[in-house]
mmCIF file of all heavy atoms in Angstrom:
data_model
loop_
_atom_site.group_PDB
_atom_site.id
_atom_site.type_symbol
_atom_site.label_atom_id
_atom_site.label_comp_id
_atom_site.label_asym_id
_atom_site.label_seq_id
_atom_site.Cartn_x
_atom_site.Cartn_y
_atom_site.Cartn_z
ATOM 1 N N SER B 20 -58.175 164.394 94.751
ATOM 2 C CA SER B 20 -58.658 165.334 95.763
ATOM 3 C C SER B 20 -57.710 165.335 96.948
ATOM 4 O O SER B 20 -57.509 164.312 97.606
ATOM 5 C CB SER B 20 -60.070 164.940 96.226
ATOM 6 O OG SER B 20 -60.525 165.822 97.231
ATOM 7 N N LEU B 21 -57.121 166.485 97.214
ATOM 8 C CA LEU B 21 -56.154 166.634 98.296
ATOM 9 C C LEU B 21 -56.739 167.593 99.331
ATOM 10 O O LEU B 21 -57.253 168.650 98.979
ATOM 11 C CB LEU B 21 -54.842 167.193 97.751
ATOM 12 C CG LEU B 21 -54.218 166.348 96.636
ATOM 13 C CD1 LEU B 21 -53.272 167.180 95.794
ATOM 14 C CD2 LEU B 21 -53.493 165.169 97.238
ATOM 15 N N ASN B 22 -56.641 167.203 100.594
ATOM 16 C CA ASN B 22 -57.292 167.979 101.646
ATOM 17 C C ASN B 22 -56.312 168.471 102.695
ATOM 18 O O ASN B 22 -55.269 167.846 102.938
ATOM 19 C CB ASN B 22 -58.365 167.127 102.318
ATOM 20 C CG ASN B 22 -59.430 166.695 101.338
ATOM 21 O OD1 ASN B 22 -59.958 167.495 100.583
ATOM 22 N ND2 ASN B 22 -59.744 165.402 101.337
ATOM 23 N N CYS B 23 -56.698 169.562 103.319
ATOM 24 C CA CYS B 23 -55.854 170.213 104.314
ATOM 25 C C CYS B 23 -56.766 170.871 105.345
ATOM 26 O O CYS B 23 -57.748 171.515 104.972
ATOM 27 C CB CYS B 23 -54.979 171.240 103.602
ATOM 28 S SG CYS B 23 -54.001 172.318 104.655
ATOM 29 N N THR B 24 -56.481 170.684 106.620
ATOM 30 C CA THR B 24 -57.219 171.375 107.675
ATOM 31 C C THR B 24 -56.253 172.229 108.475
ATOM 32 O O THR B 24 -55.049 171.949 108.535
ATOM 33 C CB THR B 24 -57.945 170.389 108.609
ATOM 34 O OG1 THR B 24 -56.980 169.535 109.224
ATOM 35 C CG2 THR B 24 -58.967 169.562 107.856
ATOM 36 N N TYR B 25 -56.791 173.266 109.096
ATOM 37 C CA TYR B 25 -55.938 174.167 109.861
ATOM 38 C C TYR B 25 -56.648 174.564 111.144
ATOM 39 O O TYR B 25 -57.870 174.503 111.251
ATOM 40 C CB TYR B 25 -55.561 175.400 109.028
ATOM 41 C CG TYR B 25 -56.741 176.223 108.565
ATOM 42 C CD1 TYR B 25 -57.180 177.327 109.292
ATOM 43 C CD2 TYR B 25 -57.402 175.908 107.377
ATOM 44 C CE1 TYR B 25 -58.259 178.087 108.865
ATOM 45 C CE2 TYR B 25 -58.483 176.652 106.953
ATOM 46 C CZ TYR B 25 -58.908 177.733 107.688
ATOM 47 O OH TYR B 25 -59.977 178.479 107.265
ATOM 48 N N SER B 26 -55.859 174.981 112.116
ATOM 49 C CA SER B 26 -56.425 175.241 113.438
ATOM 50 C C SER B 26 -56.597 176.725 113.748
ATOM 51 O O SER B 26 -57.378 177.080 114.637
ATOM 52 C CB SER B 26 -55.549 174.600 114.513
ATOM 53 O OG SER B 26 -54.227 175.091 114.432
ATOM 54 N N ASP B 27 -55.890 177.591 113.053
ATOM 55 C CA ASP B 27 -55.935 179.020 113.369
ATOM 56 C C ASP B 27 -57.059 179.693 112.585
ATOM 57 O O ASP B 27 -56.953 179.883 111.372
ATOM 58 C CB ASP B 27 -54.591 179.665 113.027
ATOM 59 C CG ASP B 27 -54.537 181.144 113.395
ATOM 60 O OD1 ASP B 27 -55.581 181.703 113.824
ATOM 61 O OD2 ASP B 27 -53.463 181.747 113.263
ATOM 62 N N ARG B 28 -58.108 180.083 113.278
ATOM 63 C CA ARG B 28 -59.260 180.687 112.606
ATOM 64 C C ARG B 28 -58.929 182.043 112.003
ATOM 65 O O ARG B 28 -59.668 182.549 111.168
ATOM 66 C CB ARG B 28 -60.426 180.833 113.585
ATOM 67 C CG ARG B 28 -61.113 179.523 113.920
ATOM 68 C CD ARG B 28 -62.426 179.761 114.644
ATOM 69 N NE ARG B 28 -63.153 178.506 114.812
ATOM 70 C CZ ARG B 28 -63.972 178.021 113.886
ATOM 71 N NH1 ARG B 28 -64.178 178.668 112.760
ATOM 72 N NH2 ARG B 28 -64.598 176.878 114.103
ATOM 73 N N GLY B 29 -57.823 182.652 112.441
ATOM 74 C CA GLY B 29 -57.427 183.942 111.902
ATOM 75 C C GLY B 29 -56.676 183.855 110.582
ATOM 76 O O GLY B 29 -56.319 184.883 110.009
ATOM 77 N N SER B 30 -56.430 182.656 110.085
ATOM 78 C CA SER B 30 -55.694 182.488 108.836
ATOM 79 C C SER B 30 -56.436 183.162 107.694
ATOM 80 O O SER B 30 -57.650 183.040 107.572
ATOM 81 C CB SER B 30 -55.516 181.002 108.523
ATOM 82 O OG SER B 30 -54.799 180.364 109.554
ATOM 83 N N GLN B 31 -55.688 183.874 106.863
ATOM 84 C CA GLN B 31 -56.292 184.655 105.797
ATOM 85 C C GLN B 31 -56.017 184.103 104.405
ATOM 86 O O GLN B 31 -56.828 184.252 103.515
ATOM 87 C CB GLN B 31 -55.766 186.091 105.865
ATOM 88 C CG GLN B 31 -56.129 186.824 107.143
ATOM 89 C CD GLN B 31 -57.615 187.039 107.261
ATOM 90 O OE1 GLN B 31 -58.288 187.358 106.297
ATOM 91 N NE2 GLN B 31 -58.153 186.821 108.458
ATOM 92 N N SER B 32 -54.847 183.513 104.228
ATOM 93 C CA SER B 32 -54.419 183.115 102.895
ATOM 94 C C SER B 32 -53.910 181.678 102.910
ATOM 95 O O SER B 32 -53.348 181.227 103.910
ATOM 96 C CB SER B 32 -53.304 184.053 102.401
ATOM 97 O OG SER B 32 -52.268 184.129 103.350
ATOM 98 N N PHE B 33 -54.135 181.009 101.786
ATOM 99 C CA PHE B 33 -53.775 179.596 101.698
ATOM 100 C C PHE B 33 -53.121 179.316 100.353
ATOM 101 O O PHE B 33 -53.523 179.888 99.331
ATOM 102 C CB PHE B 33 -55.021 178.713 101.887
ATOM 103 C CG PHE B 33 -55.673 178.946 103.217
ATOM 104 C CD1 PHE B 33 -56.612 179.945 103.367
ATOM 105 C CD2 PHE B 33 -55.300 178.198 104.316
ATOM 106 C CE1 PHE B 33 -57.190 180.202 104.601
ATOM 107 C CE2 PHE B 33 -55.874 178.439 105.556
ATOM 108 C CZ PHE B 33 -56.809 179.445 105.700
#
Side-chain angles (χ1 to χ4, degrees):
Chain B
S20 178
L21 303 158
N22 299 311
C23 172
T24 60
Y25 60 95
S26 58
D27 183 355
R28 286 192 173 273
S30 300
Q31 297 295 319
S32 53
F33 300 87

